[in-house]
Structures are given as structure tokens and as C-alpha cells.
């Protein structure tokens, strides 16, 4: 069975601070994919990144960066110089190309960025 | 269309009434997924379709929930004899194939409120 754990329920930071959102996953498959989604107060799900299990390179996209470490089964997400518009719930999700073929989501981390 | 279209945005029903939600996948996408997001942010996979055929229904509560994807019609998710616990946001997603190489695109969700 697969599982995604986002231990941080809520994080509050002040604008311009850096913040890291943790994601730990469990799966017995060797081929899998990890995702991050953003859910702003308006409710829609915004796709941020997809990473497959064979690509452990870290990725940077503007103020966003992701650290994938298979050794610790973690896929952490860092926002540099946070902004008020980053306030949202962030979900980490796991996907396997076998079996159910559906996303397994973590419980989300609510990020509040104060001005 | 270029987006997954879910209707209605918000649906209010009294306990025991029927609720029907609709999802029009992106044109050319043959896979449709339904997820339920309850108030504590937990996502639960319900069912998926490959065209009009059920692909995986292992997450579907069989007693009151049913779903269809018929040719040339939006997909639908129907809940009979609704209960308070059915209050949630129901997301539909579509993809070209059930692999992570073709990621799932999410609609904006339907918020179902059972009074």
C-alpha cells in the first residue's frame, strides 16, 4: 500500500521568509511519481511539479525548489522569499503506473504568509 | 474544451435527497477520475473511467454512490439518499492515459453541502 505523510498541518511565516514543506512517502514500487499541488483559498488545485522515482535531481523554478531524496523517502518543497500570494494549502501526492492509477494525496499543509 | 469543466460549482441538498454532479473532461482525454475532498483536506479516490468503461471503482461506496461516463455526454457522479457526511468538494480530473506521463488535469470542483 502507498501512503503520503505531511506532518506539518499549518505553518505561519512572515513575508520574505523562506519556508520548507515536508513530504514523506511510502511505497513498495520502484517506479513511482511524486507531485506537489497548490490549493489557494479559491479552491482549485494547481499543479506545481511532477518528479519520477529515477530522477533525483533537485529542481528550481523561480522561488520554488524541490528536494527529492529516495534514501529518506522525502520530497520536500521550499519557497524562498515567501509572499502573501503563496498562502494556500499545499498537497504532496504519489502515483504509481500500476494498480489503481490514482493519486494518493497527503493531508496537506496550510501555509499562511503574513504581510 | 481545454479545461475540465465541473458543474455545478456549489450544490445544496437536504439530507436524504439525491445529488448529481457533472464533469466534462478535456477534449481528447479518455480517462476520468473522481476524488472526494472532505473538510479536513483529506482526498479520497472514488472511481475512474476509460471512456465509458469503469477503470477502477475500488474507492467507491457502492450503497449510495454511482457514476457514469456516456458517449457525447458529461460524466456524472450521483449520490442517492445523501447523508451529512457526504458534504465535501468533489473533484474531477482527466488525462490522456492513466500514466504519470500524462498527468491528471483537475476541474475546479463541486462543493456539495448536505443540510
Amino acid at each position: 500500500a502507498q501512503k503520503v505523510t505531511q506532518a506539518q498541518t499549518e505553518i505561519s511565516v512572515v513575508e520574505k521568509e523562506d519556508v520548507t514543506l515536508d513530504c514523506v512517502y511510502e511505497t513498495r514500487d520502484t517506479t513511482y511519481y511524486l507531485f506537489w499541488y497548490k490549493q489557494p483559498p479559491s479552491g482549485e488545485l494547481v499543479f506545481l511539479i511532477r518528479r519520477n522515482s529515477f530522477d533525483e535531481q533537485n529542481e528550481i523554478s523561480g522561488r520554488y525548489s524541490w528536494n527529492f531524496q529516495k534514501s529518506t523517502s522525502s520530497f520536500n518543497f521550499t519557497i524562498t522569499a515567501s509572499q502573501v500570494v503563496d498562502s494556500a494549502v499545499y498537497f504532496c501526492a504519489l502515483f504509481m503506473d500500476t494498480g489503481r492509477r490514482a493519486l494518493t494525496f497527503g493531508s496537506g499543509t496550510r501555509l499562511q504568509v503574513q504581510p | 474544451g481545454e479545461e475540465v469543466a465541473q458543474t455545478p460549482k456549489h450544490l445544496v441538498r437536504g439530507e436524504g435527497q439525491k445529488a448529481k454532479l457533472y464533469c466534462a473532461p478535456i477534449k481528447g482525454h479518455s480517462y476520468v477520475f473522481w476524488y472526494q475532498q472532505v473538510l479536513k483536506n483529506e482526498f479520497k479516490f472514488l472511481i475512474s473511467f476509460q471512456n465509458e468503461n469503469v477503470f477502477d471503482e475500488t474507492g467507491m461506496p457502492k450503497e449510495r454512490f454511482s457514476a457514469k461516463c456516456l458517449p457525447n455526454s458529461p460524466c456524472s457522479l450521483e449520490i442517492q439518499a445523501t447523508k451529512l457526511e457526504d458534504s465535501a468538494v468533489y473533484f474531477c480530473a482527466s488525462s490522456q492515459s492513466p500514466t504519470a506521463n500524462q498527468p491528471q488535469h483537475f476541474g475546479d470542483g463541486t462543493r456539495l453541502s448536505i443540510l
Side-chain angles (χ1 to χ4, degrees), chain A residues 33 35 37 39 42-45 47 50 89 91 95-97 99-108 110, chain B residues 33 35 37 40-43 45 48 55-56 58-59 89 91 98-108:
Chain A
Y33 299 80
F35 294 76
Y37 286 88
Q39 188 174 39
S42 48
E44 72 273 23
L45 275 174
F47 166 77
R50 177 187 63 210
V89 182
F91 291 92
F95 181 95
M96 268 73 68
D97 271 345
R100 174 174 277 185
R101 312 274 180 95
L103 289 160
T104 298
F105 285 88
S107 54
R110 182 179 299 278
Chain B
F33 302 80
Y35 295 87
Q37 184 184 26
K40 289 190 174 181
N41 292 331
E42 299 284 342
F43 278 89
F45 165 74
S48 58
F55 186 73
D56 188 318
T58 52
V89 180
F91 283 95
T99 68
N101 283 334
Q102 301 293 335
Q104 297 174 23
H105 298 259
F106 282 83
D108 288 345

Side-chain angles (χ1 to χ4, degrees), chain A residues 25 30 32-34 49-59 66-70 75:
Chain A
Y25 62 91
T30 54
Y32 52 88
Y33 299 80
L34 295 161
I49 190 172
R50 177 187 63 210
R51 171 70 70 226
N52 75 54
S53 53
F54 298 108
D55 182 2
E56 288 193 70
Q57 279 194 334
N58 292 330
E59 181 154 339
W66 291 269
N67 183 332
F68 177 28
Q69 293 200 343
K70 282 179 80 169
F75 186 43

